[in-house]
Amino acid sequence: MLNRKRSDFISWGLLLAVVLVLLEATLNGGGILFSLLFSAALLFFGRKRMPKRSGKVMFWLGVFIAVMNVLSMFTFKLLLVAFVIYVIYEFYQSKQNPVFVTPQFAQVPTMSQDDVYRKETLLKNILLGTQQTPEHVYEWNDINIQCGPGDTIIDLNQTILPDGESVILIRGTIGNITIYVPYEMEAAVSHSMIMGNSRIFDRSESKLFNQTLFYRTKGYGEAEKKIKIVTSMFAGSLEVKRV
């Protein structure tokens, strides 16, 4: 839970920083980019030279320059006002509920001459927000989605997987992916990320940078029913756990 909160903070902080810099560069020219790059260089080289005195001076000078640049940005002040308004609005609103997508069991598929029909997908591509599988029993369909900033939650305990290999494919940008796998289900997990954390069954890894991970349970190859999980994201966390 602590790693997930830390990953959320880093992910949303990174997204906000990118938005601020792009907006400021658009409004006031590229001078802010040079200043931020200079402060980033001081932070980088100062961190490498620590604990020497020169390293500490460079590091804290970089922090000071970066903070002063951010506080002087017009877009930062604008977003700060927007954030205050948002907090006030949320105070009077109930918490947002995840988007539930329930398969239509009674729907009769439209058949073509080749006996090919289109089925409703379990989850959908979303630009922003959180979605998860239903809390009640649902019909399984393989999942192949792309997501913007937000969380995705999949509970395989509320469905019955068919014989063979079922597939979950998720490509995300920033956020968290949580997948609940039954104890008797064999699974293979392939995860790729630029930065973030992962907890796959009893294996935890934090502060990952530009990594690709692969895990497979012992009986995966011979199992009659199994789940293949393939995920990728820019920043965030992946959690695959038994329940």
Side-chain angles (χ1 to χ4, degrees), residues 13 21 34 38 49 59 67 78 80 104 109 113 116 126 151 169 178 181 184 189 201-204 224 226 233:
V21 172
F34 174 79
F38 178 68
R49 294 179 62 86
F59 180 83
V67 170
L78 186 64
L80 185 60
Q104 302 295 323
Q113 293 181 352
V116 176
I126 58 173
D151 296 344
L169 176 59
T178 304
V181 179
E184 69 278 5
V189 182
F201 301 129
D202 58 344
R203 306 292 181 89
S204 296
E224 294 183 1
K226 48 192 174 183
M233 59 173 43

Side-chain angles (χ1 to χ4, degrees), residues 181 185 187 189 199-204 217 240-242:
V181 179
M185 181 65 59
V189 182
R199 181 177 179 83
I200 300 174
F201 301 129
D202 58 344
R203 306 292 181 89
S204 296
T217 56
V240 181
K241 59 189 299 186
R242 299 284 193 186

Side-chain angles (χ1 to χ4, degrees), residues 86-135:
Y86 174 77
V87 170
I88 295 174
Y89 173 78
E90 284 295 312
F91 181 77
Y92 293 102
Q93 300 294 324
S94 61
K95 293 182 179 179
Q96 291 183 341
N97 294 320
V99 177
F100 294 97
V101 182
T102 306
Q104 302 295 323
F105 292 97
Q107 183 177 1
V108 179
T110 302
M111 307 299 293
S112 67
Q113 293 181 352
D114 298 324
D115 291 338
V116 176
Y117 62 91
R118 177 177 176 178
K119 293 186 67 176
E120 286 296 323
T121 56
L122 189 58
L123 300 178
K124 301 180 182 296
N125 295 340
I126 58 173
L127 294 176
L128 177 67
T130 297
Q131 64 174 338
Q132 71 177 61
T133 52
E135 294 182 345

Side-chain angles (χ1 to χ4, degrees), residues 56-197:
K56 294 180 180 179
V57 171
M58 292 176 65
F59 180 83
W60 289 110
L61 180 61
V63 171
F64 176 77
I65 294 175
V67 170
M68 294 305 296
N69 276 315
V70 170
L71 293 179
S72 65
M73 291 169 62
F74 172 75
T75 49
F76 173 79
K77 299 173 183 176
L78 186 64
L79 288 178
L80 185 60
V81 172
F83 175 75
V84 172
I85 295 175
Y86 174 77
V87 170
I88 295 174
Y89 173 78
E90 284 295 312
F91 181 77
Y92 293 102
Q93 300 294 324
S94 61
K95 293 182 179 179
Q96 291 183 341
N97 294 320
V99 177
F100 294 97
V101 182
T102 306
Q104 302 295 323
F105 292 97
Q107 183 177 1
V108 179
T110 302
M111 307 299 293
S112 67
Q113 293 181 352
D114 298 324
D115 291 338
V116 176
Y117 62 91
R118 177 177 176 178
K119 293 186 67 176
E120 286 296 323
T121 56
L122 189 58
L123 300 178
K124 301 180 182 296
N125 295 340
I126 58 173
L127 294 176
L128 177 67
T130 297
Q131 64 174 338
Q132 71 177 61
T133 52
E135 294 182 345
H136 54 76
V137 176
Y138 60 90
E139 181 183 13
W140 173 256
N141 289 314
D142 285 349
I143 295 174
N144 180 9
I145 57 173
Q146 301 180 77
C147 307
D151 296 344
T152 302
I153 304 170
I154 299 174
D155 188 353
L156 298 179
N157 285 276
Q158 299 296 334
T159 189
I160 299 177
L161 296 180
D163 290 341
E165 185 179 66
S166 301
V167 178
I168 296 175
L169 176 59
I170 303 174
R171 295 174 294 274
T173 54
I174 297 176
N176 301 298
I177 299 173
T178 304
I179 302 175
Y180 299 105
V181 179
Y183 279 99
E184 69 278 5
M185 181 65 59
E186 303 295 337
V189 182
S190 177
H191 181 54
S192 176
M193 81 209 76
I194 299 298
M195 60 181 68
N197 307 308

Side-chain angles (χ1 to χ4, degrees), residues 17-30:
V18 171
V19 171
L20 283 173
V21 172
L22 291 178
L23 287 175
E24 190 72 18
T26 302
L27 294 173
N28 298 325

